[in-house]
Amino acid sequence: MTAIKDEIGRAVERLGDDLEQLSRRIHGTPELAYQEVKAAGWLVEFLTGQGFKVERSIGGVETAFRGTLETGAGPTIAILCEYDALPGIGHACGHNAIATAGAGAGAALAAVRDRLPKGRILVIGTPAEEGGGGKVRLIHAGVFRDVDAAMMVHGFDRWVGHMDLLGITRLGFEFTGKAAHASADPWEGVNALDAVIQTFNNVSMLRQQVRPEARIHGIVTQGGQAPNIIPEFAAATFYVRAPRLDLVAELRQRVVACAEGAAAATGTSLKVVEHPETAYEPMKRNEALLGAFRANLRALGVTEAPPLTDRLGSSDVGNVSQVIPAIQPLMKIAPEGTAIHSRAFEAAAITPLAREGTLAAAKAMAMTTYDLLADPALVAAARREFEATKA
Ligand SMILES: [Zn+2]
Ligand SMILES: [Zn+2]
């Protein structure tokens, strides 16, 4: 490894305890999408202390931020942080480790700023990945317009350079019927809860006729007020996922038809609620960026697991990858076999294993950022590949 990369690695190690503390603080105070006030504050404080110029509430998103480290005219490379938690199960997606890895990478680059090639390093805080589409709002606000390449890491139970992401759309179904006494006058009622239950049954039948990589899953958000009242209102939220946006749109139509059929069967009226800003796009792969990241991982002695094909999620980093070259490698922060969005993953996200993975990811991102600043041809190759790749 070159001397400066060694120095980057040592800087991350030196900051190890501070970074672990940052990670533990965020983990211990889980904040939901767009409410990550404390997490954003701690990250801003940390980056400011490392010499970044930090702007808060960028792109009109209160809990977003952008730290900038500038060494002259050159490429602009963004390192992304997520820090939102999940309802009920806290940091079961390990976003505390994502934020820490991003902040650590930025800090390591700041530690060698006098020897960095010319360019601009951004550490961008992107709220509300879990369903809120924070990055989509930042894209629309122009935050990624002058960025040449972006990277982030996500916690997982193994190291994987690239994982495909499914496109996703989120749909709300609201059924309105008519209330009546469920025992005295049930024939006077129109049962909105039945429409929700029938929608789930229709979707279950649909599910056996879709391709294995598609995903349809929902919850009941309102199911009535009391058993002795025929529910006059009931609602459900569904996520519909597929590998390409046209396939998502096609599947979405079939899921809406399931709800329409349920409304017809029960005599209820249906309102379909759309959430366009939370539609996430599939991940566009970028081998040029991935190759640089992987070489750095190998230099750090990290061995990647074989590629995964069946454990598929979605993220708004997919949207970023559709507007600029971007990667989201997976870092090992939990024992192999630990499912994400589980209580076990939440517990793992602050263990010594998580610290080890997070620090290695911070080093690899900082080293990859250094490679991009040092080699304009690599930035150009990532751009060319981005232009040539359809989706
Ligand atoms: Zn998640
Ligand atoms: Zn996540």
Side-chain angles (χ1 to χ4, degrees), residues 82 86 92-95 129-130 154 314 340-341:
E82 292 174 359
L86 288 157
C93 209
H95 291 189
E129 187 280 327
E130 296 289 354
H154 198 293
S314 308
I340 64 169
H341 287 204

